[in-house]
Amino acid sequence: MIQKQITLANADEKLKHLYETAFPENEQIPWDDLIRLIDQMSLDFTAYYEDNRLIGFTIVYPRPSFNWYWYFAVRAELRGQGYGQQILSLLIEKYKGQACVLDMESPYQDPCPNPEQRKRRHGFYLRNGFRDTNVYRSYSDVTMTVMMMGPGTFTLQDWDDITIELKRYWWPNDIGTEIKEATKEQAPEIARLIMMAMTDDCCLHFCGEGYGLEDFREMMTLLVEREDSQYSYKNTYVALDGDKVVGISVSYDGSKLHELRRPFLELALEHIDKDHSSMDDETQTGELYLDSLAVLPEYRRQGIASRLIRATKERADRMGLPCVGLLVDRGNPGGEALYASVGFQYVNDSHWGGHDMKHMVL
């Protein structure tokens, strides 16, 4: 098999076609941008040929601490014929003795739409010397994991670091997101993100007859603007892209639940005509309760949720609280996997808002 180093000058339409058909659109960056980055990022873009026929390609991002196996593709009609093994063997030999990592759909996600494919891929890499890192991250309904070979370890912080690093190359004028304490002026954006975390169905569940999402949003905005509410901007961290709020984490001392819930009960009667005075408790003394965590869809897969969680954990430490606690719906395995990936552990089952929940702590 012949190997050919790809540069801006020799990248052709056959490679472009394979790239654009081998990977889901949400895993691609535009081809022109990818080619531009070959030199800027010192990418190892290698194409593989047999009798002048393109077989596949690999793209590796070499870094000081580890090499990131970014893309690996074989032409669809040639899969299952041993070419993938040949290419991976060449790649392993090239980076022999160095730390190398790759991400893939987790074979342990249950349920998932392609369990057998994931298990085959996972087994393929295990047979070739890769090992599980037990580092996971969930994006919508897909849980990804990282496998590694060579010396060292790989952590969620490493994943965040490379995500931020890659983003700086993709969008060179983007300074990236910052995690900051919220301000009162950000209340409308925070309220919308809290509602995103709650889901429309849950918001409507809280509304009285004849009231809708816009009424609920107006009430939530008022609650965020207050300082004595569980949803107060005082209890909120925001992820900012410039001045735009792209993510939020709302948390409060569980021992103060009843005191902080009082404004919600009052405004619910006034603005959405619903009495929630008999609502179950979702938290208790001894934890900083993570009430709401949300990131705008176009900003996901960038480690923002993990950074918001870390900021929340640091807040719990400063407050002298032993842990961060949360409830995750049993019907939300993606969310559960996200929390588990940053260290949350299952404690017990719970029930809240008409849903079966899992209580997890960090």
Side-chain angles (χ1 to χ4, degrees):
M1 190 175 291
I2 297 174
Q3 301 178 59
K4 181 179 179 181
Q5 204 68 29
I6 301 303
T7 66
L8 184 62
N10 65 5
D12 59 26
E13 286 298 316
K14 290 183 179 179
L15 282 167
K16 178 182 179 182
H17 177 74
L18 177 54
Y19 171 74
E20 292 180 342
T21 56
F23 304 100
E25 187 174 350
N26 63 356
E27 293 182 11
Q28 301 176 29
I29 62 173
W31 175 255
D32 291 342
D33 288 342
L34 180 65
I35 298 307
R36 170 180 58 82
L37 294 174
I38 292 176
D39 290 335
Q40 292 182 16
M41 297 175 65
S42 300
L43 295 177
D44 178 4
F45 191 160
T46 304
Y48 303 85
Y49 296 84
E50 187 177 75
D51 298 328
N52 293 320
R53 178 178 60 163
L54 174 65
I55 304 298
F57 70 80
T58 57
I59 301 178
V60 178
Y61 176 31
R63 302 178 73 254
S65 54
F66 57 82
N67 303 297
W68 183 266
Y69 284 16
W70 197 0
Y71 291 110
F72 179 5
V74 174
R75 288 171 56 182
E77 67 271 23
L78 300 178
R79 293 169 193 165
Q81 301 180 34
Y83 288 115
Q85 180 62 67
Q86 292 182 55
I87 291 173
L88 184 59
S89 296
L90 291 169
L91 203 59
I92 290 172
E93 182 62 27
K94 179 185 287 190
Y95 291 98
K96 187 175 182 179
Q98 301 179 43
C100 299
V101 299
L102 58 87
D103 65 342
M104 60 168 287
E105 293 174 317
S106 171
Y108 305 115
Q109 182 181 354
D110 183 24
C112 70
N114 57 338
E116 296 305 317
Q117 180 189 58
R118 296 186 187 200
K119 290 175 184 176
R120 286 197 301 272
R121 189 176 298 147
H122 182 243
F124 172 68
Y125 287 118
L126 286 176
R127 290 193 299 275
N128 281 277
F130 283 83
R131 62 185 181 273
D132 289 320
T133 62
N134 295 317
V135 174
Y136 300 90
R137 173 160 284 149
S138 293
Y139 308 106
S140 185
D141 58 349
V142 178
T143 299
M144 303 292 290
T145 188
V146 168
M147 300 186 73
M148 181 177 191
M149 78 165 6
T153 59
F154 186 88
T155 67
L156 195 65
Q157 182 64 56
D158 293 322
W159 206 339
D160 286 346
D161 289 345
I162 194 170
T163 299
I164 294 169
E165 191 172 316
L166 291 173
K167 183 185 175 189
R168 286 173 181 155
Y169 281 110
W170 298 342
W171 299 285
N173 296 322
D174 187 350
I175 62 173
T177 55
E178 297 180 278
I179 307 299
K180 291 188 173 182
E181 294 181 350
T183 65
K184 185 176 181 179
E185 291 71 27
Q186 294 162 340
E189 294 173 280
I190 294 169
R192 289 189 179 92
L193 281 160
I194 291 174
M195 291 177 64
M196 181 184 295
M198 295 175 71
T199 75
D200 288 351
D201 286 345
C202 183
C203 295
L204 290 171
H205 169 77
F206 283 113
C207 290
E209 186 175 352
Y211 292 86
L213 293 175
E214 184 61 23
D215 303 300
F216 192 84
R217 185 193 62 78
E218 291 177 1
M219 180 192 71
M220 290 303 299
T221 301
L222 293 173
L223 288 169
V224 175
E225 289 176 344
R226 294 175 62 148
E227 296 187 5
D228 60 348
S229 156
Q230 65 196 101
Y231 300 109
S232 171
Y233 71 93
K234 291 280 191 179
N235 297 330
T236 304
Y237 282 113
V238 291
L240 295 174
D241 183 0
D243 293 328
K244 181 180 180 180
V245 177
V246 302
I248 55 101
S249 168
V250 181
S251 61
Y252 53 84
D253 185 342
S255 69
K256 298 181 179 180
L257 171 63
H258 292 168
E259 170 189 342
L260 294 171
R261 182 186 281 172
R262 194 172 300 120
F264 173 82
L265 299 178
E266 294 171 355
L267 291 191
L269 279 173
E270 180 180 345
H271 288 268
I272 55 176
D273 193 27
K274 193 78 174 278
D275 181 3
H276 290 291
S277 57
S278 61
M279 185 187 303
D280 295 333
D281 290 353
E282 65 247 57
T283 183
Q284 60 275 314
T285 299
E287 67 179 19
L288 181 67
Y289 181 65
L290 179 54
D291 185 288
S292 304
L293 178 73
V295 176
L296 291 176
E298 63 269 29
Y299 284 84
R300 293 171 187 168
R301 304 194 71 162
Q302 298 178 30
I304 294 173
S306 297
R307 293 167 61 199
L308 285 165
I309 291 172
R310 282 202 296 273
T312 303
K313 175 59 176 170
E314 290 169 2
R315 181 175 181 228
D317 293 341
R318 290 195 301 270
M319 294 172 66
L321 293 170
C323 65
V324 175
L326 58 81
L327 295 181
V328 60
D329 197 308
R330 293 184 68 88
N332 182 14
E336 182 180 350
L338 165 66
Y339 297 128
S341 73
V342 295
F344 277 89
Q345 296 182 341
Y346 167 80
V347 177
N348 53 37
D349 291 327
S350 184
H351 191 83
W352 187 81
H355 291 261
D356 290 327
M357 314 289 280
K358 289 185 177 182
H359 180 210
M360 304 179 73
V361 299
L362 173 65

